[in-house]
């Protein structure tokens, strides 16, 4: 059986508190202010999509 160190006990306390008590943060990411409209692109030709990037004067390629 693994030894229960103070760090392991603290981690267990954090998990228990979040499962058993009503906890929330007053901080926000700000993303709730935005709404995105879903627009599917079923006719999109994936072969025509270019995901390559230039990074530090080198070309990074991504192909499907």
């Amino acid at each position: 059986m693994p030894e229960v160190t103070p760090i392991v006990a603290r981690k267990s306390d954090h998990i228990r508190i979040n499962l058993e008590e009503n906890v929330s943060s007053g901080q926000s990411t700000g993303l709730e202010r935005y709404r995105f409209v879903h627009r599917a692109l079923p006719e999109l030709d994936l072969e025509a999509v270019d995901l390559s990037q230039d990074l530090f004067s080198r070309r990074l390629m991504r192909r499907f």
Side-chain angles (χ1 to χ4, degrees):
M1 180 171 247
E3 180 184 351
V4 178
T5 64
I7 293 175
V8 171
R10 184 174 168 91
K11 177 80 171 180
S12 296
D13 284 343
H14 285 172
I15 293 171
R16 180 189 53 75
I17 289 168
N18 279 282
L19 289 173
E20 296 175 359
E21 299 180 23
N22 184 13
V23 295
S24 63
S25 171
Q27 292 184 330
S28 166
T29 62
L31 291 175
E32 69 277 356
R33 293 179 284 179
Y34 300 95
R35 297 288 177 252
F36 298 98
V37 176
H38 175 70
R39 293 196 175 124
L41 300 171
E43 68 281 355
L44 185 68
D45 178 14
L46 292 181
E47 295 295 323
V49 176
D50 180 14
L51 298 177
S52 58
Q53 293 287 318
D54 290 323
L55 181 65
F56 303 118
S57 300
R58 303 222 25 177
R59 189 81 172 156
L60 303 175
M61 304 295 281
R62 171 69 169 108
R63 300 189 194 281
F64 286 100

